[in-house]
Amino acid sequence: MAVTPSEAPCYRMLIGSEWVDAEATLSVLDKYTGEVIGRVPQASREDVREAVAAAEAAFAARPLSPQERWRILYRVAEAIGQHEEELARMMIAESGFTWRDVRGDIRRAVQTLQVSAEEAKRIGGEVVPIQSAPGFEGSLAFTLRVPLGVVCAITPFNSPLNTVCHKVAPALAAGNTVVLKPATPTPITALRLAELFLEAGLPPGHLNVVTGRGGEVGRWLCEDTRIRFYTFTGSTDVGREIQRFVGLRRSCMELGNISATIVCEDGDLERAVPLIVNGAFRKAGQVCTSVQRILAQGAIYASLVEALRFATERLKVGDPRDPHTDVGPMIDEQKAVQAEQRVQEAVARGATVVVGGTRQGPVLYPTILVDVPDDAAVVCEEIFAPVVSVRAYDSLDEALRLVNAGPYGLQAGIFTRDLGKALRAARELRVGGVIVNGTSSTRADLMPYGGTKDSGFGREGPRYAIEEMSETRIVLFYQ
């Protein structure tokens, strides 16, 4: 029997030591059925102020030792593993992602927390050879890495657990306190994660969670000058707006991309095809690094398109609760409609649909396009949908130029057996990460991850995020 809005569970925000309601609430929908699965508070400006105040007070009054940070983060990692089934069902409902997608997100979150825990014990400085400076012959100098203070984490809907962990865990590992604003469509998993942190022994105020519409809550967070660092994953347009508010305060921006993967004529197609299909269509294509453009060298273009068509037609599409489903719904029907319209616009301008191109409610069937005009929206704008375009190229010069021509630069992939081509791509592609014999949508959680140009700046990955969320302090014993 369907749950009515009045029967759906009501969740509360975490501010300091209290779980807090609000006068206004927002409905969280099941992304496949459209049913209301819960209601969360719409935070007020005062709620945001109190959350930042709680984080600031906790940072000043109760700093955690590296050993405490390690222990708490490890306990949360263990708790996530123990609650995998509960978290998976929660994430399927609020995100629409399949069993395979959410289990991958959960297992990666465990790794992110464990690596963050280990890095909490490794934060250190270095001895500065100050004696080599004239007048400092008898002096001693060394550096410390010190936490910044209050970190604001604003997270996206497309990874309601692991990306949250990628922001919260390194911030805590570095000794900061956190105010978390989860994505409006997917806040429930983040609230459950906060419960696990408290159960693991995290003192009150070190993690605060405020929910509501990003346009309001996010703006209030950006206006609060007590926040020392912002870590954001989302669109380039919103990233620009955040930077306009935060000014000289530090930030890490993981923004949009039009991800490309190059397949050279000497590439291993048997390896490339399943990786490309997964990289293009997992999470219904709603990943910053999803393969949106495939550049195929002319000699293998036709055979690659045919192999991709064959593999894509065999994907099971539909209900994400079916364990056999490969591709579920998009985050809402409006987004699916917009993506479908972009496909139709490309077709009207001469593109051909190899497979897919149809929609049922919020489900857009995995779509492969060829003969797409170079200025069509499906290749010039981030589509964030299960749509990929294949384009032929002649030389590696041309392929590299096509990738570099756009405004974005997050990650790119290249399939080749030629070491020279691989190294050239690594050197010449203007992106944050080059994946050799893998797609743009390849990531290990301990590696540095981030982009350049309109894809943002700063790096995630626990070790690298800790560096972003801390600063160097010089200590000089002058004699």
Side-chain angles (χ1 to χ4, degrees):
M1 186 168 60
V3 176
T4 65
S6 61
E7 296 172 333
C10 293
Y11 298 87
R12 293 180 292 175
M13 301 178 289
L14 178 60
I15 299 178
S17 60
E18 302 294 328
W19 290 98
V20 178
D21 293 315
E23 292 184 5
T25 61
L26 298 175
S27 296
V28 181
L29 304 181
D30 183 295
K31 302 308 183 288
Y32 185 67
T33 67
E35 296 174 358
V36 176
I37 58 173
R39 301 188 68 83
V40 297
Q42 168 61 46
S44 66
R45 185 187 289 271
E46 185 59 30
D47 291 326
V48 171
R49 288 196 189 104
E50 290 180 0
V52 178
E56 185 182 44
F59 180 77
R62 180 65 170 89
L64 298 176
S65 70
Q67 182 72 12
E68 288 177 299
R69 302 171 208 166
W70 169 82
R71 184 169 55 250
I72 290 167
L73 290 168
Y74 247 104
R75 285 175 178 170
V76 177
E78 291 173 350
I80 287 176
Q82 293 164 0
H83 293 275
E84 180 175 345
E85 192 76 11
E86 172 201 353
L87 289 166
R89 294 185 182 279
M90 187 179 290
M91 292 167 65
I92 289 170
E94 73 169 350
S95 70
F97 299 147
T98 65
W99 276 101
R100 183 176 63 179
D101 287 334
V102 300
R103 288 197 188 281
D105 205 69
I106 290 167
R107 290 166 185 169
R108 287 180 59 189
V110 170
Q111 289 291 309
T112 300
L113 286 157
Q114 290 177 341
V115 174
S116 297
E118 293 296 333
E119 292 297 336
K121 298 191 295 184
R122 299 180 182 141
I123 301 170
E126 62 182 10
V127 174
V128 178
I130 196 71
Q131 297 90 347
S132 62
F136 291 84
E137 289 80 3
S139 299
L140 172 67
F142 56 89
T143 62
L144 302 173
R145 296 294 301 182
V146 297
L148 296 174
V150 180
V151 169
C152 173
I154 303 176
T155 57
F157 72 81
N158 63 349
S159 182
L161 184 63
N162 190 39
T163 295
V164 174
C165 290
H166 263 290
K167 298 181 184 303
V168 171
L172 295 175
N176 300 296
T177 56
V178 181
V179 179
L180 167 65
K181 163 62 178 77
T184 306
T186 56
I188 296 174
T189 303
L191 292 169
R192 182 68 180 109
L193 178 65
E195 291 179 344
L196 296 179
F197 266 102
L198 294 183
E199 293 168 8
L202 186 69
H206 283 255
L207 174 60
N208 307 269
V209 186
V210 290
T211 56
R213 295 185 181 88
E216 295 175 346
V217 178
R219 185 178 72 252
W220 296 331
L221 286 165
C222 291
E223 291 172 351
D224 197 316
T225 57
R226 294 171 294 180
I227 295 173
R228 294 288 311 282
F229 188 91
Y230 293 84
T231 174
F232 170 74
T233 297
S235 72
T236 299
D237 288 343
V238 175
R240 286 196 180 98
E241 187 71 6
I242 290 173
Q243 286 303 121
R244 187 174 70 84
F245 276 105
V246 305
L248 294 178
R249 288 175 289 165
R250 294 165 62 176
S251 61
C252 176
M253 297 281 126
E254 198 270 278
L255 308 177
N257 197 37
I258 306 173
S259 299
T261 291
I262 300 167
V263 185
C264 301
E265 60 185 4
D266 64 346
D268 183 346
L269 294 193
E270 289 187 6
R271 174 183 175 85
V273 169
L275 291 175
I276 289 173
V277 170
N278 180 65
F281 302 134
R282 73 183 180 94
K283 295 187 176 181
Q286 299 168 118
V287 181
C288 297
T289 56
S290 285
V291 181
Q292 185 171 335
R293 294 181 298 162
I294 303 168
L295 304 177
Q297 199 156 14
I300 52 93
Y301 172 81
S303 57
L304 178 62
V305 170
E306 176 58 21
L308 292 171
R309 180 197 65 77
F310 182 84
T312 302
E313 286 181 338
R314 278 148 184 77
L315 296 176
K316 183 174 176 59
V317 182
D319 186 351
R321 289 180 175 83
D322 183 338
H324 301 292
T325 296
D326 299 298
V327 182
M330 292 181 62
I331 197 64
D332 61 48
E333 186 168 356
Q334 181 182 5
K335 297 294 186 185
V337 169
Q338 291 172 353
E340 180 188 34
Q341 289 172 344
R342 289 184 178 182
V343 171
Q344 292 171 346
E345 290 166 3
V347 170
R349 297 186 56 198
T352 300
V353 175
V354 175
V355 64
T358 58
R359 178 183 62 84
Q360 291 183 337
V363 177
L364 181 66
Y365 278 71
T367 301
I368 298 175
L369 299 171
V370 295
D371 303 322
V372 180
D374 286 341
D375 59 350
V378 290
V379 291
C380 288
E381 301 173 11
E382 185 178 37
I383 193 166
F384 225 61
V387 178
V388 64
S389 301
V390 190
R391 185 193 196 281
Y393 74 89
D394 293 324
S395 66
L396 186 59
D397 283 342
E398 181 185 8
L400 298 178
R401 177 182 59 78
L402 288 168
V403 176
N404 287 336
Y408 298 101
L410 186 51
Q411 289 197 161
I414 180 170
F415 286 90
T416 180
R417 292 183 173 92
D418 187 323
L419 181 59
K421 292 178 183 177
L423 290 173
R424 187 176 170 204
R427 294 189 181 103
E428 297 185 22
L429 287 174
R430 295 195 292 273
V431 295
V434 176
I435 313 301
V436 179
N437 291 323
T439 73
S440 59
S441 196
T442 303
R443 180 183 180 185
D445 290 290
L446 54 72
M447 77 186 204
Y449 173 74
T452 187
K453 301 193 289 184
D454 284 0
S455 291
F457 50 83
R459 292 296 180 267
E460 290 188 347
R463 173 189 166 190
Y464 307 93
I466 287 170
E467 291 178 359
E468 300 272 354
M469 297 177 183
S470 61
E471 60 190 358
T472 299
R473 178 176 297 162
I474 180 70
V475 180
L476 170 62
F477 287 82
Y478 180 59
Q479 182 175 332

